[in-house]
Amino acid sequence: MPEPRTPLAADDGGAPDAEELAVRLSAVVGRLLRRLRATSSGGLLTPTQRAVLARLDREGPATTAVLARAEYVRPQSMRLTLGALENQGLVGRSPDPDDGRKSVVSLTAAGAVTLAEVRAAKHDWLAEALAAGLDGAERRTVAEAVELLDRLTGAR
């Protein structure tokens, strides 16, 4: 059982201190992301490989250079990542229609299935953790927090 946390310091109006809340929220989100990554890996994919598959799924085919810039890695590192994904049959290459010297990488059907399995593992773990660890009132509180975080991140 985790140790109880000390309550957040509050201002005169009873609102939590924004600086302390930011530190705690960042730590909690970091732990949640690590748990989700660990749950969904299955040992098959690295975090970078998962990110590349997700980007290809979301944005469509791309060159190695475009993927490297998007993932903030060097092109050489992206080539290694793409080579591993290609060896697993998760991505495929085709000539760039605009520049035949380049190739465009796209998600294969097997890559889409693998990505769906990774996402399902994350969602399944989180749904089970929410159901087992929180009662209905607590889940409602989390739902309210999700709406606020959604707004905070500019998603709406």
Side-chain angles (χ1 to χ4, degrees), residues 146-156:
V146 167
E147 290 297 320
L148 293 172
L149 290 169
D150 202 24
R151 190 175 83 208
L152 184 66
T153 59
R156 291 191 169 186

Side-chain angles (χ1 to χ4, degrees), residues 107-131:
L107 194 63
T108 64
V113 167
T114 299
L115 186 59
E117 290 170 352
V118 165
R119 288 174 173 160
K122 284 183 192 183
H123 296 153
D124 290 349
W125 174 82
L126 189 52
E128 288 174 20
L130 289 167

Side-chain angles (χ1 to χ4, degrees), residues 60-122:
T63 64
T64 301
V66 167
L67 290 168
R69 278 192 302 277
E71 295 298 323
Y72 302 101
V73 299
R74 295 191 332 216
Q76 298 87 337
S77 298
M78 184 54 67
R79 277 194 286 280
L80 292 173
T81 297
L82 292 172
L85 291 170
E86 193 171 21
N87 287 340
Q88 295 178 64
L90 305 178
V91 299
R93 295 179 194 265
S94 59
D96 185 329
D98 299 326
D99 184 347
R101 298 169 295 171
K102 297 179 185 177
S103 62
V104 174
V105 180
S106 57
L107 194 63
T108 64
V113 167
T114 299
L115 186 59
E117 290 170 352
V118 165
R119 288 174 173 160
K122 284 183 192 183

